[in-house]
Amino acid sequence: ELELLDSTNTIYKLLGPVLVKQEMEEAKTTVSKRLEYITGEIKRYEQQMQELERSSEQQRETLGRLQQELQRAQ
């Protein structure tokens, strides 16, 4: 949305219950940093999910082996 604005537009930032004027460059910088942070968090959670999936798969394999050994022992 910020890309659609020109220098004649006024940008406001919400600080508590008050709207305060903000420079366009400052607003663009703030938004880009937030997007970088969110993207980084998404990547971190995706990696964490992959690690958990790998761990879960290893646990399933171990469980399968133990079940086979138990069946053989009976």
Side-chain angles (χ1 to χ4, degrees):
E1 294 291 322
L2 290 176
E3 298 299 325
L4 301 175
L5 302 178
D6 59 26
S7 60
T8 62
N9 297 111
T10 304
I11 299 174
Y12 293 94
K13 178 179 184 175
L14 184 64
L15 291 176
V18 180
L19 288 174
V20 179
K21 272 190 180 182
Q22 187 178 31
E23 296 294 323
M24 182 164 315
E25 288 306 312
E26 183 181 349
K28 286 182 179 181
T29 301
T30 301
V31 169
S32 69
K33 287 185 188 255
R34 284 183 184 174
L35 288 173
E36 285 176 23
Y37 172 77
I38 291 169
T39 303
E41 286 296 298
I42 289 171
K43 286 180 183 177
R44 189 173 67 85
Y45 285 122
E46 286 174 346
Q47 289 174 346
Q48 193 175 22
M49 281 177 40
Q50 289 174 354
E51 290 172 12
L52 289 172
E53 286 173 2
R54 274 188 241 123
S55 175
S56 175
E57 184 61 34
Q58 289 173 348
Q59 295 296 326
R60 267 191 237 112
E61 290 173 4
T62 302
L63 180 61
R65 282 195 304 271
L66 290 172
Q67 285 176 337
Q68 287 177 356
E69 288 177 18
L70 182 61
Q71 287 174 354
R72 288 183 196 141
Q74 290 179 350

